[in-house]
Amino acid sequence: MIKQRIHFIGGGQMAEAIIRAITANQTIAADRISVTDINEARLQVLTKAYGVDTGRSQEAYLAEAGLIVLAVRPQDALDELGQAVTRLASQSAVVVSIVAGLTLEKLAGVFGAGRPIVRVIPNTLTDTGYGYSGVVLNADAAREQVDEFLLGFGKVQYMEEALLDVFTGYGVAGPNYIYYFIESLVDAGVLAGLPREQAWNVALENMAGAVLMLRQTGLHPRQLLDINNSPGGVGMHGLYELNNSDFAAGLQRSVMAAVKRTTELGVK
């Protein structure tokens, strides 16, 4: 269990998802987490739901924090926050930014040279323990400073910063593609005549089982497709129509569009 204090600057939905996961997983005691936010109602929600500390000043929290999680909007007053962190926080305190588009270079300009800084793009599957967050460290930060915290709300992939936009559009946006596929598959079952609840249960079971089969066998999806489909059979006819729908290329275009948008947001 983490002994140092973690301070969240910003208490929005993503910050709450992280807090919910790390307290549920007993990564850190709730009373060692503090949160400040301009919305007093959000602070009341977080205190009531998770027992985190929201009753003191930002200055007091920064002076005690070992990890400072930046969970604000890119357009918020970052320079003012940077000055406060520089003035009040220990030089060893790690700034963990979950703000999209703020590069390590920009963050160093705000929080000062020599400060350990970590960029994290969290996956939205925080409550499940699944899903990779993309993580980039600056030269002053080390994995052991943040590993326990990050693993408290999912899995971690460390990478070069140049890959983070690609990871965001592909990995972090990934649940969107899965949700949409399952919704469409369920609708297909209903269209064919199954009751929706039955189609829903079958789709979820097939999705979970297919993933488990890939993990257990170590086989390539194409190998399992070959095993599952007999010549001229039912499955092969279904795959033929799926191929004609441009499904694979459409999915790939979706990922590329998400990556492109992530890059555009970073420029802005």
Side-chain angles (χ1 to χ4, degrees), residues 127-155:
D127 292 318
T128 69
Y130 287 91
Y132 285 104
S133 295
V135 183
V136 178
L137 308 173
N138 76 350
D140 299 292
R143 294 187 183 191
E144 54 266 26
Q145 292 175 294
V146 291
D147 246 349
E148 191 173 4
F149 168 63
L150 298 176
L151 292 171
F153 56 92
K155 298 177 175 65

Side-chain angles (χ1 to χ4, degrees), residues 85-96:
V85 169
T86 301
R87 188 175 74 255
L88 299 164
S90 165
Q91 182 59 35
S92 62
V94 182
V95 170
V96 178

Side-chain angles (χ1 to χ4, degrees), residues 14 24-25 28 39 46 52 62 80 111 113 123 136 140-142 166 168 170 199 214 216 218 229 231 240 253 262:
M14 196 67 243
N25 294 332
I28 185 171
N39 185 341
L46 295 173
V52 298
L62 288 176
E80 184 177 328
F111 295 100
N123 199 293
V136 178
D140 299 292
V166 175
T168 302
Y170 174 67
L214 287 166
Q216 285 183 348
N229 292 287
Y240 174 76
R253 287 194 298 269
T262 302

Side-chain angles (χ1 to χ4, degrees), residues 22 37 64-65 68 77 98 113 129 143 202 208 214 221 228 233 237:
I22 61 177
D37 194 283
E64 298 174 354
I68 301 166
I98 65 170
R143 294 187 183 191
V202 168
L214 287 166
N228 285 354
H237 274 74

Side-chain angles (χ1 to χ4, degrees), residues 26-215:
Q26 298 185 335
T27 302
I28 185 171
D31 61 5
R32 302 197 71 78
I33 301 171
S34 57
V35 187
T36 51
D37 194 283
I38 58 173
N39 185 341
E40 182 62 33
R42 281 297 298 164
L43 296 179
Q44 292 176 8
V45 167
L46 295 173
T47 300
K48 184 176 181 180
Y50 310 107
V52 298
D53 185 359
T54 62
R56 293 187 290 154
S57 67
Q58 179 108 280
E59 288 76 10
Y61 293 139
L62 288 176
E64 298 174 354
L67 289 178
I68 301 166
V69 182
L70 189 65
V72 298
R73 300 172 302 175
Q75 65 268 34
D76 287 341
L78 294 180
D79 287 340
E80 184 177 328
L81 288 175
Q83 292 168 11
V85 169
T86 301
R87 188 175 74 255
L88 299 164
S90 165
Q91 182 59 35
S92 62
V94 182
V95 170
V96 178
S97 171
I98 65 170
V99 185
L102 283 184
T103 64
L104 290 178
E105 183 180 7
K106 291 178 182 176
L107 290 165
V110 172
F111 295 100
R115 167 80 57 189
I117 297 175
V118 180
R119 283 188 69 190
V120 181
I121 304 296
N123 199 293
T124 58
L125 300 174
T126 48
D127 292 318
T128 69
Y130 287 91
Y132 285 104
S133 295
V135 183
V136 178
L137 308 173
N138 76 350
D140 299 292
R143 294 187 183 191
E144 54 266 26
Q145 292 175 294
V146 291
D147 246 349
E148 191 173 4
F149 168 63
L150 298 176
L151 292 171
F153 56 92
K155 298 177 175 65
V156 176
Q157 285 196 359
Y158 290 92
M159 64 193 65
E160 298 296 322
E161 191 168 26
L163 291 176
L164 200 57
D165 285 349
V166 175
F167 182 85
T168 302
Y170 174 67
V172 176
N176 290 340
Y177 312 129
I178 305 301
Y179 296 147
Y180 190 76
F181 171 77
I182 291 175
E183 179 189 38
S184 301
L185 185 59
V186 171
D187 284 347
V190 175
L191 178 65
L194 287 177
R196 183 164 293 275
E197 183 178 1
Q198 189 172 11
W200 173 256
N201 289 332
V202 168
L204 289 183
E205 195 72 8
N206 280 343
M207 175 67 75
V211 170
L212 186 58
M213 183 69 77
L214 287 166
R215 291 190 185 280

